[in-house]
Amino acid sequence: MPSTEYWAGFFDGEGSVYINSIGGVQINVAQKNPEVLYLLKKDFDFGYIRNKGKRIYSGFNWNVNRKKDAKIFLNAIYPFSIVKKKEIEIGLKALSLIREENIGCNPLSEKEMEERMKLRMELKSYHPNRHEFSLRSREEKIRQLIKEEYDFKCSTCGTDLRNEPVNFQIISTANSFAVNVVPDRYLHSAALFV
């Protein structure tokens, strides 16, 4: 079986901690091939694996929703984590705010909800919405292809566009994309595609 150090590194690369709108914590690890996720599930003896189906993000997820299980996993990998150490800390703080027992109609107080939402926002600042960081939009892909076709040079002034962001001012009538005029420093790239 892989070591805890291995799982910490694996989580750093492929995992995430998520705090939902009521302050619940979920751990997620994604992979195209489920084989390593089954090893992870076997090693920790909790969580579940689901197939994400034929959506854009096809593949498999190992998910943990239970407080007890999430605490065990995050505490185990925390000492060895490098990239996601702060996110794990926030997840552990959020888990500490979840009640041990919540039977019947027992709504959260305003203070409890405020504390949970503060942690949720703090965690969100470390990574954007899953869909935003995982997939470039169709427009961004087309813009990148256009830049590559012109060898990353502006046809008018020869400025190198290689280090400019993907959504740098590009106008392409061929692909029906047009961007409003932005500050002067961006105008040279528009000349390439008008």
Side-chain angles (χ1 to χ4, degrees):
M1 284 293 169
S3 66
T4 306
E5 291 90 342
Y6 173 85
W7 292 128
F10 186 66
F11 184 81
D12 274 354
E14 307 297 335
S16 63
V17 177
Y18 175 72
I19 300 174
N20 66 25
S21 59
I22 58 167
V25 176
Q26 181 179 14
I27 295 168
N28 177 52
V29 180
Q31 277 290 285
K32 290 272 187 196
N33 185 328
E35 186 177 344
V36 73
L37 297 179
Y38 284 109
L39 275 175
L40 179 60
K41 185 178 183 314
K42 184 177 181 183
D43 221 5
F44 282 92
D45 198 28
F46 53 71
Y48 61 95
I49 296 170
R50 69 181 176 99
N51 184 339
K52 293 189 283 185
K54 295 183 180 180
R55 294 184 286 170
I56 294 171
Y57 306 106
S58 64
F60 298 85
N61 278 350
W62 177 71
N63 295 102
V64 177
N65 295 323
R66 289 178 45 199
K67 175 183 176 177
K68 182 182 87 170
D69 297 340
K71 278 176 89 170
I72 290 169
F73 180 73
L74 293 179
N75 279 317
I77 66 170
Y78 178 76
F80 310 106
S81 177
I82 297 169
V83 178
K84 299 208 172 139
K85 200 166 202 83
K86 187 65 180 171
E87 293 174 38
I88 293 170
E89 287 174 7
I90 295 168
L92 288 168
K93 282 183 197 172
L95 285 167
S96 72
L97 297 177
I98 297 173
R99 298 171 180 169
E100 293 302 323
E101 195 173 287
N102 194 17
I103 298 171
C105 183
N106 190 7
L108 296 173
S109 70
E110 196 172 306
K111 185 177 181 192
E112 284 176 305
M113 196 63 182
E114 189 178 299
E115 289 174 356
R116 291 183 184 197
M117 290 307 98
K118 184 178 174 189
L119 288 172
R120 182 175 192 229
M121 297 316 292
E122 186 179 351
L123 184 61
K124 274 188 162 192
S125 73
Y126 284 96
H127 54 76
N129 182 293
R130 292 173 182 167
H131 303 295
E132 290 170 0
F133 75 83
S134 297
L135 184 70
R136 289 187 302 182
S137 69
R138 180 174 178 268
E139 180 178 354
E140 287 175 326
K141 287 179 182 178
I142 290 173
R143 286 172 184 237
Q144 184 65 25
L145 289 171
I146 293 169
K147 279 187 181 181
E148 288 170 5
E149 184 180 324
Y150 285 88
D151 197 30
F152 296 91
K153 302 275 186 213
C154 176
S155 62
T156 305
C157 66
T159 302
D160 187 358
L161 305 174
R162 188 172 313 275
N163 295 324
E164 298 297 339
V166 176
N167 60 357
F168 191 74
Q169 174 74 16
I170 294 174
I171 297 174
S172 170
T173 52
N175 291 301
S176 304
F177 288 122
V179 180
N180 295 330
V181 175
V182 291
D184 291 344
R185 66 189 183 95
Y186 294 113
L187 293 179
H188 69 270
S189 63
L192 203 165
F193 305 106
V194 172

